[in-house]
Amino acid sequence: MDMKHVKDYIYWLYYQYLLITCSYVLEPWERSMFHTITVTVVAMVVYTAYVFVPIHICLALEFFSQIFGGQPESRV
């Protein structure tokens, strides 16, 4: 794929993001604050999902295996 096409595609995605969030009407300093807050929130959600979701999945599987007749594993 040509690098110009990749650059145009990334620019198009960024433009779609600006249109969807209506941040194209913001002033430059407001837009930078909006992007900073958005990136921070997305990073915190990804980190939380990475750390806590596997723990909850393991606990849920253990809970349902006990309900449906599985033998509890030894913790030793």
Side-chain angles (χ1 to χ4, degrees):
M1 188 177 228
D2 190 16
M3 289 304 288
K4 183 178 181 341
H5 293 299
V6 172
K7 182 180 173 184
D8 290 340
Y9 182 68
I10 291 173
Y11 179 75
W12 180 80
L13 287 176
Y14 179 69
Y15 186 68
Q16 292 297 315
Y17 165 75
L18 291 178
L19 289 175
I20 290 170
T21 60
C22 295
S23 61
Y24 63 93
V25 296
L26 300 174
E27 293 184 18
W29 70 272
E30 293 173 327
R31 190 178 303 149
S32 66
M33 290 299 294
F34 177 76
H35 293 322
T36 302
I37 292 169
T38 303
V39 167
T40 304
V41 168
V42 167
M44 290 188 320
V45 167
V46 167
Y47 174 75
T48 303
Y50 177 75
V51 171
F52 293 110
V53 168
I55 295 169
H56 290 292
I57 289 174
C58 288
L59 290 174
L61 289 175
E62 190 175 303
F63 173 75
F64 286 119
S65 69
Q66 288 177 359
I67 287 178
F68 295 119
Q71 297 294 325
E73 292 182 8
S74 175
R75 298 264 180 195
V76 179

